Amino acid sequence: DAPPPSDTPTPDDTPAPSDGATDASADVPLRNGCPILTDPVDVVGAPPNGDTLADFVRPFVQQYCLRCHSSALMTPEDRHGAPMSFNWDTEAGIRMELPRIRNAVGVANYMPLNNPMPSCDERRRLVRWIDIGAP
């Protein structure tokens, strides 16, 4: 098995290839057990259906991201190798990296690197929130 992609962007942030698995019911390629959400999940301006920054994204980030992507973590060891500039504990930090977050959570499906992991539905909800304009 190849190691997971790094959090370091590639020149064009090209997603890693599929792991070859598919969801038989929809013939959707999977990576790490979840659909690869390369295409937009919804359109900009669609209703958030309760998935707002306050009601869904902050709790998602708290549970799955801040163990590595927090400005309170001051060493590479504390951050489990996450770059010092990738901090999701503020709205500005999240919004600055939405394309990178979308790729890591919904396309490459490799973040977070350790448990607990978001469900495929949680991953899709975060990607949809980004795709509708991150309200």
Side-chain angles (χ1 to χ4, degrees):
D1 285 349
S6 74
D7 207 14
T8 304
T10 60
D12 60 351
D13 261 339
T14 304
S18 167
D19 59 19
T22 58
D23 178 345
S25 65
D27 197 31
V28 175
L30 304 176
R31 183 168 302 116
N32 296 326
C34 292
I36 299 171
L37 303 172
T38 306
D39 295 331
V41 172
D42 210 336
V43 296
V44 173
N49 302 330
D51 288 343
T52 63
L53 180 72
D55 294 333
F56 174 68
V57 177
R58 285 192 193 274
F60 181 100
V61 168
Q62 179 70 38
Q63 183 171 1
Y64 301 117
C65 308
L66 293 185
R67 59 186 166 213
C68 301
H69 294 285
S70 171
S71 59
L73 303 173
M74 304 306 288
T75 68
E77 294 77 23
D78 290 342
R79 297 176 66 86
H80 304 280
M84 295 300 286
S85 62
F86 293 179
N87 295 310
W88 318 144
D89 43 5
T90 66
E91 180 177 350
I94 293 168
R95 291 189 183 281
M96 187 168 43
E97 297 294 343
L98 288 176
R100 184 181 316 278
I101 293 169
R102 187 190 190 288
N103 182 64
V105 172
V107 178
N109 294 340
Y110 72 95
M111 285 290 166
L113 295 176
N114 51 25
N115 290 325
M117 298 290 223
S119 69
C120 295
D121 181 61
E122 289 172 309
R123 289 174 184 277
R124 185 185 180 289
R125 288 173 62 192
L126 183 65
V127 167
R128 181 182 181 277
W129 177 79
I130 294 168
D131 289 350
I132 66 172

